[in-house]
Amino acid sequence: MNDPHRSQYAVWAGSAGNRSPGPGGWASVVIHGSTGLEHAIVSGGDDLSTDHAMELTAVFMGLTRVPRDVTATVFTDSKFVLDLVGILSEGWNPGGGEHEELWSRLVEECGKRFVSWQEVAAGDDVPHQARASMLAQAEAAGIA
């Protein structure tokens, strides 16, 4: 029998922006860990956004595709997101500054599942991360 608490998902989040503020894109590739199969791919963009908003949106939208009460690992190359999450894990919610609404939605979404975080170095040859970044760049280019 499947135990949902043992299910594993990987969320690979990517973002892109040419100017900040300006056109930007975000994307997430969600993988079901036990099968290695794609669970969901989501992407989008905004014609007037910031790099940080796109980074937060990529993570948020990826997590919304992960079932509740399961374990998910978020892979991101965003130092901004990882720094905020690190502060949150220490018991202090710094808020998202100019991105308060996005940050609040992300914190709420994280509370619905067991989330861990993994940094991916920019330029690492990781196929799912590369795909998320490519989709985000395509979204940004389609807006610009």
Side-chain angles (χ1 to χ4, degrees), residues 115-133:
V115 181
S116 62
W117 302 85
Q118 182 69 46
E119 181 177 7
V120 178
D124 278 359
D125 186 24
V126 182
H128 297 307
Q129 185 68 36
R131 185 166 185 204
S133 293

Side-chain angles (χ1 to χ4, degrees), residues 26-114:
W26 59 267
S28 289
V29 176
V30 182
I31 304 297
H32 189 277
S34 65
T35 66
L37 298 175
E38 290 176 354
H39 176 72
I41 298 173
V42 292
S43 64
D46 192 334
D47 60 347
L48 187 60
S49 189
T50 66
D51 296 339
H52 290 161
M54 293 294 95
E55 293 165 352
L56 288 168
T57 301
V59 174
F60 169 75
M61 293 302 291
L63 282 174
T64 65
R65 299 320 195 268
V66 174
R68 292 177 181 225
D69 298 322
V70 300
T71 301
T73 301
V74 175
F75 294 87
T76 180
D77 61 3
S78 169
K79 288 285 197 190
F80 173 73
V81 170
L82 292 169
D83 287 348
L84 283 176
V85 168
I87 291 169
L88 183 65
S89 70
E90 294 172 2
W92 180 59
N93 185 345
E98 67 182 284
H99 307 297
E100 181 66 38
E101 181 182 344
L102 275 172
W103 176 248
S104 295
R105 291 170 63 194
L106 176 58
V107 169
E108 181 181 338
E109 208 57 44
C110 288
K112 298 175 184 176
R113 49 198 59 78
F114 308 96

Side-chain angles (χ1 to χ4, degrees), residues 132-143:
S133 293
M134 179 193 69
L135 289 168
Q137 290 168 5
E139 290 285 353
I143 293 170

